């Protein structure tokens, strides 16, 4: 199991690449979306969660948490 924390605001191609590489190395990849009270976000937590879930909807090794 691996943990990949970040704000993912937005999910970038770099994030996507790391996640795709990670699922080849681990049985489960937990993507933990964090909140920084000092940061202004472009997208809400719900939108960021949906973006990631949609991007990896066919990948059972991915778990998205907030």
């Amino acid at each position: 199991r691996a943990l990949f924390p970040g704000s993912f605001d937005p999910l970038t191609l770099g994030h996507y690449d790391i996640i795709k590489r990670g699922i080849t190395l681990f049985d489960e990849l937990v993507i933990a979306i964090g909140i920084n009270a000092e940061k202004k976000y472009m997208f809400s937590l719900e939108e960021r969660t949906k973006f990631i879930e949609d991007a990896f909807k066919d990948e059972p090794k991915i778990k998205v948490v907030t």
Side-chain angles (χ1 to χ4, degrees):
R1 178 180 298 171
L3 176 66
F4 183 27
S7 61
F8 304 102
D9 186 42
L11 177 69
T12 66
L13 290 176
H15 295 134
Y16 188 87
D17 183 55
I18 290 169
I19 293 166
K20 291 300 274 187
R21 291 177 194 219
I23 58 178
T24 66
L25 300 172
F26 301 98
D27 294 331
E28 180 181 34
L29 182 57
V30 179
I31 301 171
I33 305 172
I35 299 169
N36 179 346
E38 311 239 339
K39 186 175 178 180
K40 300 235 184 222
Y41 292 102
M42 291 191 318
F43 300 101
S44 71
L45 182 60
E46 293 78 18
E47 289 173 313
R48 292 180 277 151
T49 301
K50 183 154 176 38
F51 293 154
I52 296 170
E53 289 173 344
D54 288 349
F56 296 100
K57 66 180 178 234
D58 295 326
E59 182 48 66
K61 292 183 173 184
I62 301 287
K63 179 178 178 183
V64 182
V65 298
T66 59

